[in-house]
Amino acid sequence: MKFHMIAGGPKPVAPFSHAVETDGFVFVTGQMPDTPATPGVLPDGVVAQTRAVMENLRVVLAGLGLGFEHIVMTRIYLTRFSQDYAAMNDTYRSYFPPDRLPARTCVGVTGLAYDALIEIDLVCRRP
């Protein structure tokens, strides 16, 4: 197994690697909607937070030589599921071609680090 910490990547909120790789699969830790420059500072609303999470995921994937086209599955965690599900979906969908949507699980949770509204983790496969 390879344990990856991406230079210039998001600051971890707990003791974990940005990603762990084994047998061609890459498991990317759930990302928060802050930025590497301002850890713990979150944008307002689920649309802005979804974009921030996706950009953090893009940074981690780029550091691994991967992109969104390598995503096999996503898991999305929302603290205000009923309120934010539709807006999150619209924003999330914009990152993928319509015929290349990863498998996905989306669940409502009672809380996330930094009191974030959303967190997303990934499973990728190296080509």
Side-chain angles (χ1 to χ4, degrees), residues 19-120:
V20 176
E21 187 167 353
T22 186
D23 297 325
F25 285 96
V26 182
F27 300 86
V28 179
T29 295
Q31 294 299 309
M32 304 309 300
D34 57 349
T35 66
T38 57
V41 178
L42 308 182
D44 291 331
V46 76
V47 169
Q49 287 196 21
T50 302
R51 284 190 189 117
V53 167
M54 295 301 287
E55 292 309 314
N56 282 339
L57 289 166
R58 187 187 310 274
V59 167
V60 172
L61 290 174
L64 298 166
L66 298 171
F68 289 148
E69 68 274 16
H70 299 106
I71 299 171
V72 175
M73 179 166 186
T74 63
R75 285 180 293 245
I76 302 172
Y77 309 90
L78 294 171
T79 58
R80 303 183 313 193
F81 192 90
S82 295
Q83 180 179 340
D84 291 338
Y85 185 72
M88 177 280 300
N89 273 324
D90 289 341
T91 305
Y92 170 88
R93 183 180 294 118
S94 71
Y95 286 85
F96 302 97
D99 62 340
R100 299 263 316 165
L101 296 169
R104 190 180 100 174
T105 298
C106 184
V107 296
V109 296
T110 59
L112 294 167
Y114 297 141
D115 290 324
L117 301 175
I118 184 169
E119 180 174 347
I120 301 175

